[in-house]
């Protein structure tokens, strides 16, 4: 079990730092700030087409959240993180070799599945690392990880700004980042396996909770609206950057700000 492997604070620190390193490397996808521009400039995909690609990505991730969570609990959170990174790596492979609407769409489906594997498994793994410690240890560790991720995004966007819209190079570097992140994740201690309920039971429980709590329903809807609105606004600005008199090279710098 994971906690048997991290009894001492030294081993805990080592596991936590490896998890952080894997996350930061994995989030350093240099193509991310410019992928919408790549779709339009490289493959002449319209704004509507870009919207369809992004919708496919988000829908895939939402649908995959529960199944990938069950897999992580039943088999291994460590290997779910690894699987997630590999899914994202193959997304960029599709983008590199198949620069078309359907190539991008297939890549986004893989990215959505990969992100679903990574997000829940990472949080659960981090929670296990903090079992038996002070009540707020998990929150502190998670907040520190998210803060470092935000810093990694900023650095990534700045590096993309320096490289410019060299799409093939940015995709290749993103693939390398996924491979390195996967290699680091392989060094993590294996997480414990827990008993899981069925997919139908989880859906039923979620429905019951939403029906019984007005506050939970409101927060759930607010989260969807806010996240969706902000995401779409950023993408619309990126897709229509020419209308604002902005050079494609400057877009990553503006996003980082």
């Amino acid at each position: 079990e994971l906690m048997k492997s991290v009894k001492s604070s030294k081993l805990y620190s080592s596991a936590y730092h490896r998890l952080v390193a894997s996350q930061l490397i994995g989030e350093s996808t240099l193509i991310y700030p410019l992928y919408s521009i790549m779709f339009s400039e490289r493959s002449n995909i319209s704004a509507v087409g870009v919207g369809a690609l992004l919708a496919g990505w988000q829908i895939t991730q939402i649908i995959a959240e529960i199944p990938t969570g069950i897999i992580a609990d039943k088999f291994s959170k460590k290997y779910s993180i690894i699987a997630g990174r590999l899914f994202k790596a193959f997304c960029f492979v599709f983008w590199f070799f198949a620069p078309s609407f359907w190539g991008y769409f297939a890549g986004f489906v893989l990215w959505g599945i990969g992100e679903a594997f990574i997000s829940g498994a990472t949080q659960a793994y981090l929670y296990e690392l903090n079992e038996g410690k002070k009540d707020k240890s998990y929150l502190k560790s998670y907040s520190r990880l998210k803060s470092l991720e935000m810093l990694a995004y900023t650095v990534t966007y700045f590096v993309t700004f320096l490289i410019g819209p060299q799409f093939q190079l940015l995709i290749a570097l993103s693939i390398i980042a996924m491979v390195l992140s996967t290699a680091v994740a392989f060094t993590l201690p294996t997480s414990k396996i827990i008993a899981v309920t069925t997919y139908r039971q989880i859906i039923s429980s979620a429905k019951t909770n939403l029906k019984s709590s007005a506050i939970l329903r409101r927060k759930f809807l607010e989260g969807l609206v806010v996240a969706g609105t902000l995401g779409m606004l950023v993408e619309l600005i990126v897709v229509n950057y020419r209308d604002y008199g902005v050079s494609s090279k400057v877009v990553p710098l503006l996003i980082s700000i």
Side-chain angles (χ1 to χ4, degrees), residues 214-244:
I215 295 176
L216 184 59
R217 287 197 302 273
R218 188 174 70 250
K219 294 298 182 183
F220 177 75
L221 292 174
E222 286 175 355
L224 288 178
V225 172
V226 171
T229 302
L230 289 175
M232 287 304 297
L233 284 174
V234 171
E235 296 302 338
L236 284 173
I237 291 172
V238 173
V239 171
N240 299 295
Y241 69 95
R242 290 191 187 94
D243 297 338
Y244 301 98

Side-chain angles (χ1 to χ4, degrees), residues 1 29 39 68 80 111 150 154 173 177 186 195 214-215:
E1 290 184 1
T29 49
F39 299 154
T68 54
S80 288
W111 190 341
M150 293 302 296
T154 302
L173 292 174
F186 263 112
I215 295 176

Side-chain angles (χ1 to χ4, degrees), residues 78-144:
K78 166 185 173 178
Y79 290 108
S80 288
I81 294 171
I82 291 171
R85 293 299 176 199
L86 291 176
F87 270 106
K88 290 183 70 173
F90 280 109
C91 160
F92 300 132
V93 170
F94 265 94
W95 289 7
F96 191 92
F97 291 105
S100 63
F101 178 87
W102 291 112
Y104 296 137
F105 188 86
F108 265 135
V109 169
L110 293 173
W111 190 341
I113 296 172
E115 199 63 45
F117 265 115
I118 294 165
S119 61
T122 299
Q123 292 182 43
Y125 191 97
L126 187 57
Y127 184 83
E128 286 183 14
L129 280 178
N130 287 275
E131 278 185 335
K133 299 171 75 68
K134 294 184 297 183
D135 290 342
K136 295 184 179 180
S137 293
Y138 165 74
L139 292 177
K140 289 180 179 178
S141 298
Y142 182 71
S143 298
R144 190 182 306 120

